[in-house]
């Protein structure tokens, strides 16, 4: 893999990690993206610390990053930032496992996380084309509950 291809791959994976970790909270029209969560999962609602480890063929070592996001029964998976022309599809819950699909112009990902109260384990596999070749990356996710979500910033008061 060339140096540029390697940098591109890390950039693509970082975007996917941020999407899963909650970089954006709303769809393009400002409405919440609906989650089909008919049953409650065994999860503590609030602020979560999510550590993702990404592996890509040809990269010398896995890349790990940690982010924070608020998760709720209504939104058990962090929302994606649709500015990258990506859409989350097929968000479903069975028992304590939440699965989803993310479709982007250059890549498709499938992921799942399984909650256990104040922790979760998850995986996501991404298929993409790079330099005309099909590539598959794998990402593991470990989440842990930190505490209540921070209060939203108050709007400035006009005098």
């Amino acid at each position: 893999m060339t140096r540029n291809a390697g940098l591109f791959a890390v950039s693509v994976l970082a975007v996917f990690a941020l999407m899963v970790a909650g970089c954006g909270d709303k769809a393009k029209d400002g409405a919440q993206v609906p989650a089909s969560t008919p049953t409650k999962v065994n999860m503590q609602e609030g602020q979560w610390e999510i550590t993702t480890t990404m592996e890509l063929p040809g990269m010398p070592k896995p890349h790990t990053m940690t982010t924070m996001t608020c998760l709720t029964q209504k939104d058990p998976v962090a929302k994606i930032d649709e500015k990258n022309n990506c859409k989350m599809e097929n968000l479903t819950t069975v028992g304590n496992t939440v699965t989803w699909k993310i479709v982007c112009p250059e890549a498709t990902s499938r992921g799942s996380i399984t909650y256990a109260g104040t922790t979760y384990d998850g995986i996501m596999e991404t298929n993409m084309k790079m330099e005309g070749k099909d590539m598959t990356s794998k990402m593991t996710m470990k989440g842990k509950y930190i505490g209540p979500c921070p209060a939203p910033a108050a709007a400035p008061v006009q005098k």
Side-chain angles (χ1 to χ4, degrees), residues 33-61:
V33 177
S36 54
T37 311
T39 60
K40 289 190 173 205
V41 295
N42 178 20
M43 70 167 293
Q44 179 71 43
E45 292 185 323
Q47 183 85 352
W48 284 71
E49 178 183 88
I50 302 168
T51 301
T52 58
T53 303
M54 297 172 278
E55 296 179 36
L56 182 68
M59 295 302 291
K61 62 180 183 174

Side-chain angles (χ1 to χ4, degrees), residues 118-133:
T118 58
T119 63
Y120 77 63
D121 287 301
I123 58 169
M124 189 161 76
E125 189 170 282
T126 301
N127 296 307
M128 64 187 122
K129 280 207 181 279
M130 191 175 307
E131 297 181 347
K133 296 180 182 177

Side-chain angles (χ1 to χ4, degrees), residues 99-116:
T99 60
W100 66 91
K101 178 179 177 182
I102 298 173
V103 179
C104 299
E106 301 293 325
T108 301
S109 299
R110 294 184 188 279
S112 71
I113 53 177
T114 301
Y115 282 95

Side-chain angles (χ1 to χ4, degrees), residues 25 32-35 37 43 45 70-79 91 115:
D25 292 277
Q32 288 288 339
V33 177
T37 311
M43 70 167 293
E45 292 185 323
C70 285
L71 298 174
T72 64
Q73 290 288 334
K74 182 181 172 207
D75 295 313
V77 175
K79 298 298 174 206
L91 182 65
Y115 282 95

